[in-house]
Structures are given as structure tokens and as C-alpha cells.
Amino acid sequence: SRKGEIAYLLPRMLKVMEYFKEYRFLLATAPSIPDNFYHKIIENYLNKKVEDNSVKEDIIKRLTLLRDQTYSIMKHSDAAIINSGTASLEGALIGVPQVVGYGASEITYQIAKRLVKGIKYISLANLILNKQIFKELIQHDCTPEIISKELKEILYNVEYRNRMKEDYQKVREILGGGGASDAIAKAMIEEIHKN
């Protein structure tokens, strides 16, 4: 939900839209970030990276920003591109197949890489099972092409999707007894029923 992470990941997500013309894209906005921040990134991307007006119009037509509907979006989506953090755990608990992306300025990334050693994963669900449930595309691996390749696996490889969902069930079982998971589940249920 940090502005730097959104500025890093959102243009990559917009490029991914060009590979999946048959899909609509819903963008769950972060509660603390105003809509105009997203609109500026989208406008900048369209003006600088897309020359074809029909492609611009298509992206605008297929992209919807939604506020305060994150859980409902996850529940009804075929797949998700999620920034690392609690959202990836929420996605796993809801059951949406996902690819996680993370990136920051190169300086921030280099500092973090040196400070955080010996950790295999950055996403909470992957950390909980100590295995790669879903791909984590960090910094230089977080390209529209690699994100798109992973989304194709998620969308079109039934066995791959099913394995991910089976691992999600294991995460739910591990978190089942704790108060934190109860609070997350309650908030998610309230959000889903609200929409």
C-alpha cells in the first residue's frame, strides 16, 4: 500500500493487460492512497508507453478502480496480481490464485537485499508453509512478461491452480486456531457480505 510500491507495480500490471485482452481488470485501491494517485500513474503510463489510441481506450475500458472492496474482488477473481504483504495472505485465505510482485527504487532494493538475508520468501503464506505456494516476482523478475507467463499458468493450468488451492487449505488449517486469523476471517466475511 506504499506509494513507491504502487508506482513500481501498477505500470507493470497495466502492461500485463495488453496480454489478456479477454479479461477485465479490477484494481483494489489501498485505503490510505487517494484515487488521484492511481489516476496519475495510469495517465502517465498511457501517455508515455502506449502510442496506439485503440489500445489506450481498451485499457481504460477494461480497468476499474474499486475502493473498500478488496475481499469481494479477490473472492470473484479468476486470478490476482498482488503486492507482497498482508494482501497476499488474505488472497490465500480467500482462495484466489495469485502471483506476488514486489519492487522499489533500486537503492531501496539493494539496501533491503543486504539487510534481509537467509529468508527464502517474502509472502506470508509462503513463509507459513516454508514453500513456494505461488511465485514471488521481486524487483528485476517483476516484469510484465514474467507476470503474464505466471498468470497464464494460473489461468490455464488446472493442475497448477489446484495445487495452489490445496496449499491454501494447509495455510488455513495452520492459522485456524489463532485469534489473528479469526479477526482476519471475520473482517473478510463482513467485507464479502457488504458487497
Side-chain angles (χ1 to χ4, degrees):
S1 62
R2 292 186 205 116
K3 287 185 174 182
E5 294 167 355
I6 295 167
Y8 185 90
L9 196 54
L10 183 53
R12 286 156 176 79
M13 291 179 178
L14 293 169
K15 179 66 178 173
V16 166
M17 288 183 69
E18 294 181 44
Y19 296 100
F20 295 90
K21 295 183 187 287
E22 69 276 24
Y23 284 91
R24 290 198 44 124
F25 284 73
L26 303 175
L27 177 59
T29 60
S32 61
I33 308 294
D35 287 353
N36 67 346
F37 181 78
Y38 295 93
H39 291 299
K40 285 178 187 173
I41 294 170
I42 293 165
E43 184 179 324
N44 188 45
Y45 174 82
L46 294 175
N47 289 335
K48 292 186 176 180
K49 301 289 184 183
V50 181
E51 294 180 14
D52 186 332
N53 283 333
S54 65
V55 174
K56 286 181 186 181
E57 290 170 15
D58 180 63
I59 289 173
I60 291 167
K61 187 172 95 177
R62 292 187 299 118
L63 178 64
T64 304
L65 272 68
L66 295 171
R67 184 162 292 284
D68 300 324
Q69 296 184 48
T70 302
Y71 302 137
S72 181
I73 291 169
M74 287 184 189
K75 180 181 177 194
H76 297 289
S77 293
D78 293 329
I81 305 167
I82 298 180
N83 192 31
S84 67
T86 56
S88 65
L89 178 58
E90 292 166 341
L93 294 174
I94 289 171
V96 65
Q98 66 183 290
V99 56
V100 167
Y102 177 80
S105 71
E106 191 61 29
I107 293 169
T108 302
Y109 170 69
Q110 291 299 332
I111 292 169
K113 193 167 93 170
R114 284 165 177 72
L115 291 175
V116 181
K117 295 198 181 252
I119 296 176
K120 290 194 276 187
Y121 307 108
I122 62 169
S123 300
L124 295 172
N126 286 348
L127 285 166
I128 288 167
L129 286 192
N130 194 29
K131 72 179 270 192
Q132 181 179 280
I133 302 170
F134 44 78
K135 290 268 174 86
E136 299 175 342
L137 304 177
I138 303 168
Q139 199 72 8
H140 305 111
D141 291 329
C142 189
T143 67
E145 294 74 24
I146 297 174
I147 295 168
S148 297
K149 181 180 176 189
E150 182 60 16
L151 279 179
K152 285 178 185 173
E153 277 295 298
I154 289 170
L155 292 169
Y156 306 123
N157 184 335
V158 176
E159 185 180 319
Y160 187 75
R161 284 175 67 89
N162 288 342
R163 266 196 321 269
M164 192 179 294
K165 289 187 172 201
E166 287 168 11
D167 284 337
Y168 285 172
Q169 183 56 39
K170 292 174 188 169
V171 171
R172 283 187 211 100
E173 289 167 9
I174 289 170
L175 294 179
S181 60
D182 289 342
I184 291 170
K186 183 178 178 185
M188 290 179 355
I189 289 167
E190 288 173 4
E191 180 74 22
I192 290 166
H193 283 95
K194 183 170 67 174
N195 298 308

